[in-house]
Amino acid sequence: MTDDTRAIVIGAGLGGLAAAMRLGAKGYAVTVLDRLDRAGGRGSSISQDGHRFDLGPTIVTVPQVFEGLWEACGRDFHKDVDLRPLDPFYEVRWPDGTSFKACGDDDRMFAEVAKINPGDVKGYKRFLKDSQARYVVGFEGMVAKPMHRLWETIKVLPKFAMLRADRSIYGLAAARVRDERLRMALSFHPLFIGGDPAHVTSMYALVAHLEKEYGVHYAMGGVQRIADAMAHVVRSQGGVIRHEVVADEIHVENGAATGVTLADGERLDAPLVISNADAGHTYDHLLRNHAKRRWTPAKLRKRRWSMGLYVWYFGTKGTAGMWPELGHHTIQNGPRFKGLLRDIFMKGKLADDMSLYVHRPSVTDPTAAPKGDDTFYVLSPVPHLGWKNAVDWETEEPIYREKVAKVLEGMMPGFRERISTELVFTPETFRDRYLSPHGAGFSLEPRILQSAWFRPHNVSEEAEGLYLVGAGTHPGAGLPGVVSSAEVLGKLVPDAPVMADVPRLAAE
């Protein structure tokens, strides 16, 4: 590393902002470049007609990753962000009318399992032990640890073998409980980081322990509030955040990163470049004029990508207090689970049936909607755009919206007549807004051979001084994952040399 302490971070998503905070704390002069008009990336929001639509992640698990990030910057996370624990965490529903409310209390959870199938309580208790064991190995032992050396992955293989990491999370659930509804309730979590529960490793059972140990929280003001607080820390460290600019190319000279050129031709020089852009976009586009040793276009084409997302955001007039059984987080299952997963992940088929995640933040946070109104976010997993017969969303979107509406009518009778404003994201939106390959919602799918060392590394092999953070690198997608990727970065990049005067790359 040279004495030049300038650093460029491409992307003001949660991973990029966390990286900028870590680098600022180490003494670097950081400039963050982002194509959107506000901080947060996929965790940003859009305000429309008095409603705040949180576009991406909606829940906070493992607040400790944020507390540790703020502590590294000499600050207190809870002074900047009002985090509220949720109880229940969420409700899972099935077409037959049964439901499962998740919470952190063992006795209540045993009762929820018994309500569905009393014979599965014993197996559920075994699943909790499975979850804790996987948490110790997979979360405590790997998440915030650099995994760019093959040995770091090899040395955990015996523990992986002992824990049957080769078995899918659905397979583990099926080995513990007999009721198909409970199998779904114990295995769906990887969908929230882009993985097919029928194929991703059983190590993801650790999420059940995370929820039990640390709870599920909501940030008042949404994840946008966290992003804004992160941006404030970056600026208070002397960092610069430039919005509505597009990084077009990372420059490499003599094997080292030397800076970034913007889409308008402006060149910014720095010996330290961190990409929070999707790993596929980083290697396929930002490094398009540099020969790659590992992540070549051919290799990227062979990777499995996470599913796409169809998200319908809408506000409703005068509905506060209506539909009292519909809480903050609800998962409404369709008639199939494994069959629907097969259609989405293995066939690339847009099915007629669906499972929906319904987010109703206005029951917790009055700032999400005008007084007396509600704000909703309804998400359906769908195929990404990389399939041979990819969905033509311009044609299919209104048709699919009607199908979603029919399901929602069973949960919220009369909601269509009360919609006051709405917005729809399809995989094409993710492709165009976030430059996500194939419009995938969560970058590379987190299968076992696309995780840890097998995932694009935090420290790039392609150029000295080039690093990756965010969903497409280690440890993966989700708020704890992308924020932890910056913690890994902090362990790889040395403290900046002390300099009397460091020139900034550009004015904000």
Side-chain angles (χ1 to χ4, degrees), residues 51 53 313-317 374-376 418-422:
H51 295 264
F53 297 123
Y313 309 91
F314 56 86
T316 53
K317 193 73 176 171
D374 269 311
T375 292
F376 289 92
R418 293 180 174 270
I419 290 179
S420 57
T421 189
E422 59 187 318

Side-chain angles (χ1 to χ4, degrees), residues 152-175:
E152 296 296 334
T153 296
I154 290 175
K155 70 183 183 182
V156 300
L157 291 181
K159 292 180 180 177
F160 270 44
M162 180 182 68
L163 294 172
R164 287 298 309 273
D166 61 308
R167 175 189 278 169
S168 72
I169 174 63
Y170 177 85
L172 175 64

Side-chain angles (χ1 to χ4, degrees), residues 444-502:
L444 292 168
E445 186 184 359
R447 294 202 178 192
I448 196 165
L449 293 181
Q450 294 190 160
S451 300
W453 182 85
F454 300 101
R455 205 166 182 83
H457 298 160
N458 304 96
V459 53
S460 176
E461 305 92 332
E462 306 303 340
E464 181 183 350
L466 176 60
Y467 297 84
L468 276 65
V469 294
T473 186
H474 174 71
L479 289 185
V482 300
V483 174
S484 294
S485 72
E487 185 175 351
V488 174
L489 174 76
K491 295 174 181 177
L492 295 170
V493 177
D495 290 350
V498 177
M499 296 183 70
D501 185 27
V502 179

